[in-house]
Amino acid sequence: MFNKEFLWGSASAAYQIEGAARIDGKGDSIWDVYSHIPGNTFKDTNGDVAIDFYHKYKEDIALMKEQGLKSYRFSVSWPRILPTGSGDVNPKGIEFYHNVIDELLAAGVEPILTIYHWDLPQSLQDEYEGWEGRKVVEDFTNYCRILFKEYGNKVKYWVTINEQNVYTSLGYLFDMHPPKKRSMQSYYTANHHAFLANASAIKLYKEMGFDGMIGPSLGLGPFYAATSHPEDIMAMEDGQELGNFYWTDIYCNGYYSPIVLRLIEKMGITIDLTDEDKELLQAGKCNMLGVNYYSTQTVSKYKEGEKLKQTGNTVQMGEDALSFDQFYNSANNPHLGTTEWGWTIDPTGLRVALRRMTSRYNLPLLITENGLGAYDTLTEDGQVHDDYRIDFLKEHFLEVEKAIDEGCNVLGFATWSFQDLFSWLNGYAKRYGFVYVDRDEESEKELKRYKKDSFYWYQEVMKTNGESLHDE
Ligand code: BGP
């Protein structure tokens, strides 16, 4: 059973929806620059216009109200608030998010604000290599101070950093996101600074006297072992340590686990972990963990010549992308099907994720992303029959209900996404929304919105607080 306060919701991110990339004083983010370099994104698409939420937010929020959405997770663009990352504030940026938040509140939709969803100000990348520079901790904290001061009395749910694991992996190991590097050392350095920035933000939030829920969202893919062979079980253990607990232990316990520290050291990596850092990590523990869940990861012990090629995005990683082969290797899971983009579909994996997090940390969990990326077809009479999306979400919701019944404290579920939006590496072809946005890679057309079948289905789920999930 879902309790009456359950935050049924949906999510998005600034760069993927806002557009208005270069107006009203906004500075460039690393994505504004990166997506304009040919070859970096699918069909060289970018978020210059995206779905123009910047101008259409009232229309979109009216649709949220019509659907009965209880919460909406969106992110603030750092360079819209601070065009050069630090220094002068852009009043138009501040005003825009006040407008969005006020509109949401007036529509009865609880705002869930993500502070950082990958659009770092380009100036900070230029000045000190972005996340690789320690100064990012100070600049991020300063940016947070502005947001807390402006919006802290209106917003009760804060996601500090979105999927630190994903943007650092894609940006520093796989060479698929900015800054398009391939360096294990850079990866761990950038992560260390992101941990400090996250902790510093949470510490500040508490110091400023706010009592809302705050924490990061991890891209949480629980690890499975390919077989019951003890060597595969050890591969899974290493996978969990390096691929899940590395992040969650620091966020929730406030320290690096000794196993992770040792595994990192074995790779010849040094982390500049000072006594002050240790204190900060302790002082900045989250009081809620955001869970972005798409699929599980099956691993086995690496054997020469059996390296499984990673799939999953239209833009593929290079053959020589860095990996954790010495500890574990991706394996196929014969029990699971995949999406049209090769992501395994595993609703039970979400329950596994919630259970593992609860038994390890016993913290409130907020599902901040989950959804199905698919090709949708708009019919001549303006409909989208996305029964596959309904099936996907229904299965995941039912597993969450079981996890709650088994003792997990789940605050809400934000599906990815409310509207169709720009997919970082897949242009506009891979759609996730309840609302179809009529545009493609070639043309923005009129960016008209259409309600999909899933829009009405989710409306009923929310209206009945999940009861309708059990209808035949
Ligand atoms: C998550 C990101 C989102 C979103 C989602 C779907 O990792 O936090 O921003 O993009 O994945 O990913 P994709 O668009 O690649 O299918």
Side-chain angles (χ1 to χ4, degrees):
M1 277 259 291
F2 296 95
N3 70 36
K4 282 211 284 303
E5 286 72 44
F6 193 75
L7 290 171
W8 297 100
S10 248
S12 67
Y15 187 69
Q16 298 180 273
I17 60 168
E18 284 180 5
R22 291 193 174 81
I23 66 165
D24 286 350
K26 179 180 162 295
D28 273 349
S29 77
I30 51 176
W31 268 92
D32 288 310
V33 174
Y34 182 78
S35 63
H36 276 266
I37 300 169
N40 277 348
T41 59
F42 177 61
K43 294 190 183 173
D44 293 336
T45 37
N46 59 56
D48 285 3
V49 176
I51 60 160
D52 202 20
F53 181 73
Y54 191 76
H55 296 109
K56 291 181 180 289
Y57 70 93
K58 286 192 179 174
E59 186 187 334
D60 282 356
I61 294 171
L63 284 166
M64 292 174 203
K65 184 175 179 190
E66 179 187 336
Q67 196 193 33
L69 207 69
K70 302 264 185 297
S71 64
Y72 183 59
R73 174 181 174 229
F74 64 98
S75 80
V76 170
S77 158
W78 186 345
R80 199 180 289 290
I81 298 290
L82 291 156
T84 57
S86 55
D88 290 341
V89 174
N90 174 28
K92 291 253 187 199
I94 299 283
E95 186 192 331
F96 173 65
Y97 296 107
H98 269 302
N99 291 342
V100 169
I101 293 165
D102 292 346
E103 195 78 12
L104 286 170
L105 290 170
V109 183
E110 185 77 44
I112 300 173
L113 190 155
T114 307
I115 297 173
Y116 182 75
H117 201 127
W118 304 354
D119 44 0
L120 185 83
Q122 179 65 37
S123 325
L124 304 187
Q125 189 64 39
D126 296 339
E127 195 187 320
Y128 49 73
E129 307 251 4
W131 291 102
E132 282 184 79
R134 214 172 236 274
K135 186 162 181 290
V136 74
V137 181
E138 184 189 326
D139 286 340
F140 184 74
T141 310
N142 177 46
Y143 162 52
C144 289
R145 185 176 292 108
I146 296 165
L147 300 190
F148 296 151
K149 186 173 143 286
E150 289 291 336
Y151 314 123
N153 290 323
K154 299 178 180 179
V155 175
K156 304 283 171 227
Y157 295 87
W158 293 81
V159 173
T160 46
I161 295 183
N162 179 70
E163 292 189 355
Q164 181 186 325
N165 56 330
V166 174
Y167 81 78
T168 53
S169 304
L170 294 174
Y172 298 91
L173 299 180
F174 305 154
D175 151 8
M176 293 166 81
H177 272 204
K180 215 175 187 199
K181 283 199 170 178
R182 216 180 277 136
S183 155
M184 204 50 98
Q185 181 62 61
S186 298
Y187 168 76
Y188 279 106
T189 302
N191 267 298
H192 184 57
H193 295 152
F195 285 130
L196 298 175
N198 173 70
S200 174
I202 295 174
K203 178 171 174 268
L204 175 69
Y205 183 74
K206 292 180 199 158
E207 281 168 3
M208 288 174 75
F210 295 112
D211 61 357
M213 306 303 283
I214 185 164
S217 282
L218 190 75
L220 189 61
F223 282 77
Y224 292 169
T227 74
S228 53
H229 193 292
E231 285 195 336
D232 288 341
I233 302 294
M234 269 326 296
M236 180 190 81
E237 291 291 326
D238 285 349
Q240 294 203 116
E241 290 291 344
L242 289 164
N244 291 163
F245 301 151
Y246 165 49
W247 287 279
T248 53
D249 281 357
I250 298 176
Y251 295 149
C252 305
N253 292 337
Y255 55 79
Y256 276 80
S257 102
I259 297 173
V260 159
L261 270 182
R262 185 73 191 116
L263 293 179
I264 294 173
E265 195 181 71
K266 280 179 160 196
M267 287 187 271
I269 305 297
T270 45
I271 298 173
D272 184 17
L273 176 63
T274 66
D275 287 343
E276 289 79 46
D277 292 353
K278 289 180 187 167
E279 271 171 41
L280 179 56
L281 295 177
Q282 267 304 306
K285 287 190 274 184
C286 59
N287 63 13
M288 148 196 110
L289 182 67
V291 173
N292 290 2
Y293 173 79
Y294 289 91
S295 55
T296 41
Q297 318 182 51
T298 303
V299 294
S300 58
K301 186 177 164 44
Y302 173 65
K303 293 190 196 69
E304 194 68 38
E306 284 184 16
K307 191 169 165 63
L308 193 78
K309 198 172 176 320
Q310 294 276 352
T311 52
N313 279 297
T314 318
V315 176
Q316 296 289 344
M317 71 174 78
E319 289 292 330
D320 46 357
L322 298 183
S323 67
F324 294 92
D325 280 354
Q326 65 194 105
F327 302 108
Y328 61 88
N329 195 235
S330 297
N332 278 319
N333 188 327
H335 307 289
L336 302 174
T338 64
T339 70
E340 290 165 313
W341 271 265
W343 294 18
T344 51
I345 300 178
D346 183 6
T348 310
L350 174 53
R351 182 158 143 230
V352 171
L354 300 171
R355 288 275 300 264
R356 285 188 187 167
M357 289 299 112
T358 299
S359 74
R360 203 168 168 102
Y361 310 111
N362 192 17
L363 270 180
L365 304 169
L366 179 63
I367 298 164
T368 35
E369 282 182 34
N370 171 252
L372 176 70
Y375 294 103
D376 288 337
T377 309
L378 182 68
T379 61
E380 298 238 320
D381 58 348
Q383 301 194 44
V384 178
H385 303 304
D386 57 343
D387 44 309
Y388 37 88
R389 182 166 293 108
I390 293 172
D391 292 344
F392 180 98
L393 287 172
K394 180 177 174 182
E395 293 304 315
H396 285 79
F397 288 157
L398 288 171
E399 290 298 318
V400 173
E401 191 173 35
K402 287 182 203 161
I404 293 170
D405 182 51
E406 290 160 353
C408 299
N409 180 3
V410 186
L411 302 173
F413 193 126
T415 68
W416 187 266
S417 53
F418 181 73
Q419 320 95 317
D420 289 341
L421 38 73
F422 170 70
S423 166
W424 308 96
L425 300 179
N426 308 284
Y428 293 92
K430 192 179 187 185
R431 295 172 179 274
Y432 281 91
F434 295 121
V435 174
Y436 184 94
V437 179
D438 192 18
R439 67 154 299 166
D440 54 28
E441 289 77 23
E442 283 73 35
S443 163
E444 283 140 26
K445 305 185 192 172
E446 289 168 34
L447 291 163
K448 241 183 115 180
R449 273 69 167 152
Y450 296 88
K451 289 169 264 180
K452 302 182 192 178
D453 288 356
S454 58
F455 179 97
Y456 300 103
W457 170 80
Y458 194 39
Q459 184 173 52
E460 190 61 19
V461 171
M462 293 188 285
K463 200 166 100 194
T464 63
N465 201 32
E467 286 296 317
S468 66
L469 294 167
H470 298 283
D471 294 348
E472 278 311 302

